[in-house]
Amino acid sequence: MTDYSQLEKRLNYTFKDKQLIIEALTHKSYKKPYNNERLEFLGDAVLDLIVGEYLFNKFPNSNEGVLSKIRASLVNESGFTLLAKTIDLGEYIFLSSAEENNNGRHKPSLLSNAFEAVIGAVYLEAGLEKAKEISISLLEASHPKIDLDSLSKDYKTALQELTQASHGVTPQYELLGSSGPDHKKEFEIAVTLNNEIIAKAKGKSKKEAQQKAAQIALEALKA
Amino acid sequence: MTDYSQLEKRLNYTFKDKQLIIEALTHKSYKKPYNNERLEFLGDAVLDLIVGEYLFNKFPNSNEGVLSKIRASLVNESGFTLLAKTIDLGEYIFLSSAEENNNGRHKPSLLSNAFEAVIGAVYLEAGLEKAKEISISLLEASHPKIDLDSLSKDYKTALQELTQASHGVTPQYELLGSSGPDHKKEFEIAVTLNNEIIAKAKGKSKKEAQQKAAQIALEALKA
């Protein structure tokens, strides 16, 4: 598709230099003298700053540990894939037919990288303020409630999305046991994938232990 | 010291809001209701973008792997400590007397964090362009030659600086052996600290193996 008007409409930005948006949409499999990896490198840093500053202002009383944690839950492959999907970015990516047949247009890594590249391209052409406006508007539309509680709830969802995409299965949570006196009970939960334990965690409630286990599993699967 | 005029002169920037620069210079040990950690969080992302964009423009033909590698060699604790020292930032940091007696004013982590916080403060008050101007001018003054070759040479220097600061000793390099035919020889080098091997690496020359070993040791010591 070489008509970017729909994409530009969704971004609320019209590129002056069409070669720039073409580069941002070109996956390396497409075998052109250019691809979107350099713009992705730039866009990655642009998004880190934009989301960091947004949280810095939104949570004036949170320390940097909390800010880093919230940012990490937004600025990652599944977070950017979500944003890419809201603008149907996959439709516009140039990729090899092999990659196309391999479901490339729907791959989280490909979508997330192209999203970063597009934001890098906006930054280059129109500056930080414009890139900020676009990114924050997409972010807020996809995350109606940005706070520590609701973001940490996303670990289980994120894990499920990841394992369904990569393994075609849903993770299961198993209570391994509980310990301690009633007023200070601790629960241990295991996450399993195809009946195999992939992570364990303890928490003050089953819910907390599940979240922690999901987070550990997510990190392990991504590494 | 509460006269910032010398520091502002070295930065080539005068803060309008003096509370902002005070916050950027306040280490958490100083036990105030504020400290520089939130500004450090912001400044870290600002510097990542500034240096990333600088390299993106300076090396139009390098791929993102190369750009990431060069950035990693500039954007790290020893890199920022170097910049902090060129503006005598240590003199201006507010810290507890315990931290002061513990040589805190010269600690790389403390200097590097304060440097990030100062850049974060400039960004907040004066925007990205001003932060860029200041950072790039300090960076270029400290690294007269920014290219892949001379930056990768810095691993041995960086390791030496780190081990001298943290252990009071200089790392030693030992040839463990070489293998392969003459036209394709490989050398294996160990870095030792107090006669204990802290990293090993192979390379096509002794120099290359030393650099790689120093890089691995650096990463291990920082982790």
Side-chain angles (χ1 to χ4, degrees), chain B residues 146-187:
Chain B
I146 295 188
D147 60 48
L148 197 55
D149 268 4
S150 46
L151 286 169
S152 68
K153 272 181 206 140
D154 279 349
Y155 288 126
K156 279 180 73 179
T157 314
L159 179 63
Q160 180 164 334
E161 284 171 4
L162 183 71
T163 60
Q164 280 177 337
S166 62
H167 300 72
V169 292
T170 304
Q172 304 294 325
Y173 294 84
E174 240 174 66
L175 180 65
L176 295 178
S178 60
S179 58
D182 266 359
H183 67 284
K184 225 188 156 180
K185 247 194 166 42
E186 230 189 13
F187 298 88

Side-chain angles (χ1 to χ4, degrees), chain A residues 149-219:
Chain A
D149 269 3
S150 45
L151 286 169
S152 68
K153 272 182 206 141
D154 278 349
Y155 288 126
K156 279 181 71 179
T157 313
L159 179 63
Q160 180 163 335
E161 284 171 4
L162 184 72
T163 59
Q164 281 177 337
S166 63
H167 299 71
V169 293
T170 304
Q172 303 294 327
Y173 295 85
E174 240 174 68
L175 180 65
L176 295 178
S178 61
S179 58
D182 267 356
H183 66 283
K184 225 188 156 180
K185 246 193 167 46
E186 228 188 14
F187 299 87
E188 186 169 22
I189 294 279
V191 198
T192 63
L193 218 54
N194 292 326
N195 296 318
E196 209 177 288
I197 293 181
I198 55 168
K200 289 192 271 188
K202 289 179 179 175
K204 277 175 231 140
S205 65
K206 290 179 199 167
K207 214 168 161 179
E208 189 189 279
Q210 287 181 349
Q211 287 300 338
K212 282 194 190 168
Q215 188 183 2
I216 295 167
L218 263 177
E219 282 159 10

Side-chain angles (χ1 to χ4, degrees), chain A residues 37-42 45-46 48-49 52-53 56 59-62 64 67-68 71 123-124 128 132, chain B residues 37-42 45-46 48-49 52-53 56 59-62 64 67-68 71 123-124 128 132:
Chain A
E37 292 188 335
R38 280 171 48 88
L39 287 169
E40 176 206 334
F41 167 80
L42 190 63
V46 171
D48 241 26
L49 173 56
E53 184 181 10
F56 181 94
F59 302 107
N61 301 313
S62 295
E64 54 134 25
L67 298 178
S68 296
R71 180 168 59 187
Y123 171 77
L124 267 191
L128 184 62
K132 212 182 267 185
Chain B
E37 292 188 334
R38 279 172 48 88
L39 287 169
E40 175 207 335
F41 168 80
L42 190 62
V46 171
D48 240 27
L49 173 56
E53 185 180 8
F56 180 93
F59 302 107
N61 302 313
S62 294
E64 55 133 26
L67 298 178
S68 296
R71 180 168 60 187
Y123 170 78
L124 266 191
L128 184 62
K132 213 182 269 186

Side-chain angles (χ1 to χ4, degrees), chain A residues 26-90:
Chain A
T26 302
H27 183 248
K28 64 170 183 284
S29 67
Y30 202 57
K31 299 291 173 213
K32 289 276 173 183
Y34 51 83
N35 63 49
N36 64 9
E37 292 188 335
R38 280 171 48 88
L39 287 169
E40 176 206 334
F41 167 80
L42 190 63
D44 176 74
V46 171
L47 282 158
D48 241 26
L49 173 56
I50 289 175
V51 178
E53 184 181 10
Y54 174 79
L55 299 173
F56 181 94
N57 290 322
K58 193 175 171 82
F59 302 107
N61 301 313
S62 295
N63 65 33
E64 54 134 25
V66 171
L67 298 178
S68 296
K69 195 171 167 180
I70 307 185
R71 180 168 59 187
S73 72
L74 294 167
V75 174
N76 57 49
E77 192 175 284
S78 52
F80 289 157
T81 301
L82 186 67
L83 303 190
K85 284 182 177 169
T86 66
I87 51 171
D88 287 333
L89 194 57

Side-chain angles (χ1 to χ4, degrees), chain B residues 91-117:
Chain B
E91 284 185 43
Y92 298 91
I93 297 176
F94 299 102
L95 70 187
S96 68
S97 46
E99 193 61 58
E100 173 99 57
N101 294 334
N102 193 22
N103 207 24
R105 230 170 258 289
H106 303 280
K107 265 192 200 162
S109 62
L110 222 135
L111 287 169
S112 164
N113 293 346
F115 180 76
E116 291 178 322

Side-chain angles (χ1 to χ4, degrees), chain A residues 100-111:
Chain A
E100 172 99 58
N101 295 333
N102 194 20
N103 208 24
R105 228 170 260 290
H106 303 281
K107 265 191 199 162
S109 62
L110 222 136
L111 287 169

